[in-house]
């Protein structure tokens, strides 16, 4: 299975993917708390006092889940304000069911623009800076179809007014994304055959 790699600017981003034990724990917990609050708001549920415990428990389990994903999922948070912005990149096999689900998305998801990645080539970008439903947080998605896999980057922001100020940094991060795969050697360990 292919894996993802990206060159995230460490001055702007904290990687959640490789943050084990105490490394990045504060950023990870704040990002999870923000995502839980956004989910509660979208469902119309008031924030519960136990939300802090749920964020802590999930922040403890996240690094192990990320390690199990083996590079198929990468996550970063905004370093200056981890509750402001969370970005997740993932690679998934392009099954018929996934293609059908993408084709049947609501009309507002058709408003995409062309987005060129440095390594993945031309893809699509959808920026929903002001979703119609005020409970929906602003977000942006980037998608590349490699033929066999879909590579997607999703950025979720907690502040509608500040989303435009950080979207350029998300663009930069998405451009650095690339797929890394293990290649099997042929009959000779000194010869690498690359299919046309």
């Amino acid at each position: 299975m292919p894996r993802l790699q990206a060159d995230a600017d460490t001055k702007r981003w904290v990687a959640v993917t490789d943050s084990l034990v105490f490394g990045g724990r504060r950023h990870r917990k704040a990002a999870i708390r923000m995502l839980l609050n956004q989910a509660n708001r979208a469902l119309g549920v008031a924030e519960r006092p136990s939300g802090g415990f749920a964020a802590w428990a999930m922040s403890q389990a996240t690094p192990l889940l990320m390690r199990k994903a083996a590079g198929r999922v990468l996550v970063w948070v905004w370093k200056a304000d981890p509750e402001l912005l969370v970005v997740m990149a993932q690679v998934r096999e392009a099954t018929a069911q996934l293609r059908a689900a993408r084709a049947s998305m609501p009309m507002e998801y058709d408003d995409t623009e062309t987005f060129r990645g440095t390594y993945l080539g031309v893809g699509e970008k959808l920026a929903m800076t002001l979703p119609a439903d005020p409970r929906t947080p602003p977000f942006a998605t980037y998608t590349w179809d490699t033929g066999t896999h879909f590579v997607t980057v999703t950025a979720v922001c907690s502040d509608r007014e500040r989303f435009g100020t950080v979207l350029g940094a998300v663009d930069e991060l998405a451009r650095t994304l690339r797929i890394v795969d293990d290649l099997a050697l042929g009959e000779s360990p000194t010869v690498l055959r690359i299919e046309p």
Side-chain angles (χ1 to χ4, degrees):
M1 181 71 173
R3 301 180 308 277
L4 294 174
Q5 281 188 355
D7 303 319
D9 183 357
T10 55
K11 293 178 183 173
R12 289 182 170 174
W13 302 103
V14 173
V16 173
T17 311
D18 297 322
S19 63
L20 294 174
V21 192
F22 294 111
R25 181 181 60 167
R26 182 177 60 86
H27 288 83
R28 186 172 64 235
K29 182 179 173 185
I32 289 171
R33 185 171 47 244
M34 183 271 280
L35 291 174
L36 288 173
N37 289 340
Q38 295 298 332
N40 286 338
R41 186 177 300 147
L43 296 172
V45 177
E47 187 177 347
R48 295 177 217 127
S50 61
F53 176 76
W56 175 83
M58 290 178 73
S59 74
Q60 301 304 307
T62 298
L64 300 175
L65 295 172
M66 291 291 175
R67 180 166 278 189
K68 190 173 182 180
R72 295 185 308 269
V73 178
L74 303 176
V75 180
W76 301 271
V77 297
W78 192 245
K79 188 171 188 175
D81 185 358
E83 291 193 41
L84 175 67
L85 182 66
V86 178
V87 178
M88 180 176 74
Q90 61 182 335
V91 59
R92 293 182 290 176
E93 188 177 351
T95 62
Q97 295 84 357
L98 185 55
R99 288 191 184 279
R102 285 182 50 78
S104 61
M105 291 176 83
M107 288 285 287
E108 59 264 22
Y109 288 85
D110 290 339
D111 193 19
T112 61
E113 60 186 71
T114 301
F115 183 81
R116 179 172 289 282
T118 305
Y119 304 101
L120 294 173
V122 177
E124 296 178 341
K125 173 184 173 182
L126 172 68
M128 299 289 276
T129 54
L130 291 171
D133 186 347
R135 296 177 302 177
T136 303
F139 67 93
T141 60
Y142 307 76
T143 307
W144 290 269
D145 184 350
T146 68
T148 57
H149 293 84
F150 281 117
V151 177
T152 58
V153 176
T154 305
V156 179
C157 185
S158 62
D159 189 339
R160 287 178 173 230
E161 295 175 0
R162 294 175 62 193
F163 186 53
T165 64
V166 295
L167 192 54
V170 178
D171 286 353
E172 290 176 18
L173 177 60
R175 282 191 182 94
T176 68
L177 200 65
R178 59 192 173 276
I179 292 180
V180 178
D181 205 351
D182 296 325
L183 297 175
L185 294 175
E187 60 276 357
S188 170
T190 60
V191 176
L192 174 63
R193 294 181 185 240
I194 300 176
E195 294 297 325

